[in-house]
Every structure is written in structure tokens, then in C-alpha cells.
Amino acid sequence: MHIALAGNIGAGKTTLTRLLAKHYGWKPHYEDVDENPYLNDFYEDMQRWSFNLQIYFLNSRFNQVIDIKKSGETVIQDRTIFEDAEIFAPNLHAMGLMSTRDFNNYTTLFQLMSKLIKAPDLLIYLRASVPTLVNQIQQRGRDYENSIRLDYLKQLNERYEAWINRYKEGKLLIINVDKIDITNSPEDLSTVIDKIDAQIHGLF
Ligand SMILES: Nc1ncnc2c1ncn2[C@@H]1O[C@H](COP(=O)(O)OP(=O)(O)OP(=O)(O)O)[C@@H](O)[C@H]1O
């Protein structure tokens, strides 16, 4: 079984992945930020490093999906390959931060990969407004994320909404995180768990 969490930068995917893995006994698969050889450089000069970073994420996420499929375990994944290909990469291209030939090259590679993978059994989308994202990004205080611009987050959010509206590949649960605090409020966490319980009923 494959459960995945989707959402913009700072939406709280990593925290919820950890809490759900603990609650359900699912195996967590995180995005390995510390090992990423491009992220620092990318945030300093997006145009120069966008293609390199996107290829890195595509490769790493594709490997994750293959591992999840092979393992046969119930896994909770922190961010999907679809977000890289349907949100981040096209956004960089639209913002003039990735050239058209690089974007076309990337897209062809993703199309090939997408023939070999399938959507998660349940996709949980964490919907958050830009002020919430900014607040949570500031709270965790990663140096390289200091340079993230509001318009970058806003455009990513618009692409997230458009993607979620057309998402038909599998079960989908949307959680609005603006008014909840899953880290500090056990009641909020249990409300989220109740919603997930209702969705996974019948999946196992
Ligand atoms: N395809 C991508 N293109 C550009 N940046 C990406 C891509 N995928 C991930 N990132 C960035 O890499 C970093 C990864 O951080 P992390 O795994 O903590 O996720 P996050 O997006 O901050 O989510 P959350 O706060 O919800 O856990 C973030 O700055 C994130 O936005």
C-alpha cells in the first residue's frame, strides 16, 4: 500500500509523515534534503541550477517509487514525483528560470518514467495559504530557504490547486492546514486521523 503526502514548501508534510508513520506503523519515506547536492546552489541562483536540481529530484523520487513497489510494505511518502513534474518544473519554466530545451528534455524523461509507475493508493494534499507557508518556513529557519520569494510560493500554490483539481488518478483527501496545529494539538491530529481512517477503510 502506498500513501503519499503532497503540498507546497512548508505545508507540514514531513511532520505529518512522521506522526502518521508512528500512529499507523507505516514505513516513512522522506525527501533527503541533507544529502541533496544542488538545493543550496539552487536557492542562490535558480536559473543556473534548476535543470540539475529537477533531474536530481526526478531520479531520487523515481527510485523511491520503485522501492515502494518492490517492498510490498505500507509506506507513507513525503512528496510525490507528480509534484516535481507537474508543479515545480513547469513553474520554473514559466518563470523563465528553466530554458525551453531543458524543460522539453526533462518532460520527455518524465513521460518515459511515468509509463513505469502508478499513482499512490491514497494522496493526502495539505492545502495551506501563503501566510501559513511563510510562517512555517520561518519557524524551521533553514538558511537556504531565506531567499524564497512570496511570488514563488504563490505561483506554486496556484499550480498545486490546478493539479489537485484535475487529479483523477486515485483516492484523494484534502486537508486544510491553515486552522489546525497537528504538532501541538492532539485533537487536531486525531481529526486528521479520523479523516484518513474513513479513506483507507476498504483499502487494506
Ligand atoms: N522538484 C523540486 N523543485 C524545486 N524545489 C524542490 C523540489 N522538490 C522539493 N523542493 C525543495 O526542497 C526542499 C525540501 O524540503 P522538505 O522535504 O522539508 O519539504 P518541504 O517542501 O519544505 O515540505 P514540508 O514543510 O511540507 O515538509 C524544500 O525547499 C522544497 O521545496
Side-chain angles (χ1 to χ4, degrees):
M1 190 69 50
H2 178 186
I3 319 283
L5 278 174
N8 205 344
I9 309 170
K13 297 178 297 297
T14 309
T15 306
L16 190 57
T17 300
R18 183 173 47 77
L19 293 169
L20 294 180
K22 189 163 166 236
H23 176 83
Y24 288 104
W26 294 337
K27 189 168 177 209
H29 273 233
Y30 298 102
E31 207 167 45
D32 60 345
V33 196
D34 297 337
E35 306 282 307
N36 191 312
Y38 295 111
L39 209 45
N40 262 310
D41 289 330
F42 168 74
Y43 278 122
E44 299 222 327
D45 184 349
M46 289 189 172
Q47 192 153 22
R48 165 66 186 86
W49 296 104
S50 60
F51 183 70
N52 309 62
L53 179 75
Q54 292 314 312
I55 293 295
Y56 177 84
F57 272 123
L58 199 60
N59 180 24
S60 121
R61 221 89 68 178
F62 185 67
N63 271 302
Q64 258 191 2
V65 187
I66 300 292
D67 285 350
I68 292 171
K69 204 166 135 191
K70 261 201 302 209
S71 77
E73 293 172 297
T74 295
V75 166
I76 176 143
Q77 185 191 18
D78 175 355
R79 190 167 268 145
T80 65
I81 194 167
F82 305 105
E83 291 160 80
D84 300 313
E86 308 229 18
I87 292 159
F88 284 89
N91 184 54
L92 288 165
H93 178 236
M95 289 179 88
L97 296 166
M98 193 192 289
S99 73
T100 297
R101 69 178 165 179
D102 283 348
F103 181 60
N104 290 344
N105 185 1
Y106 173 92
T107 304
T108 324
L109 181 59
F110 174 69
Q111 281 165 353
L112 172 65
M113 287 173 166
S114 60
K115 290 187 186 138
L116 304 168
I117 56 177
K118 66 177 194 60
D121 299 290
L122 171 64
L123 179 72
I124 304 170
Y125 169 53
L126 300 187
R127 174 179 279 151
S129 65
V130 172
T132 300
L133 298 172
V134 170
N135 195 5
Q136 294 184 172
I137 291 169
Q138 276 169 355
Q139 270 179 26
R140 75 176 168 212
R142 286 184 192 146
D143 284 347
Y144 58 81
E145 288 180 345
N146 280 338
S147 59
I148 293 183
R149 291 189 352 224
L150 284 182
D151 64 331
Y152 182 64
L153 288 176
K154 188 168 167 281
Q155 289 179 42
L156 288 172
N157 247 5
E158 284 165 8
R159 284 184 185 270
Y160 264 103
E161 289 301 318
W163 172 60
I164 285 301
N165 279 331
R166 64 175 185 266
Y167 185 84
K168 302 270 180 299
E169 282 75 16
K171 274 184 178 252
L172 171 68
L173 171 65
I174 301 177
I175 295 175
N176 196 331
V177 296
D178 279 349
K179 292 191 177 63
I180 61 172
D181 181 357
I182 48 154
T183 319
N184 298 307
S185 161
E187 291 80 25
D188 285 354
L189 178 62
S190 79
T191 308
V192 169
I193 288 172
D194 286 348
K195 288 186 179 156
I196 297 173
D197 279 344
Q199 289 289 330
I200 58 179
H201 185 75
L203 276 182
F204 288 91

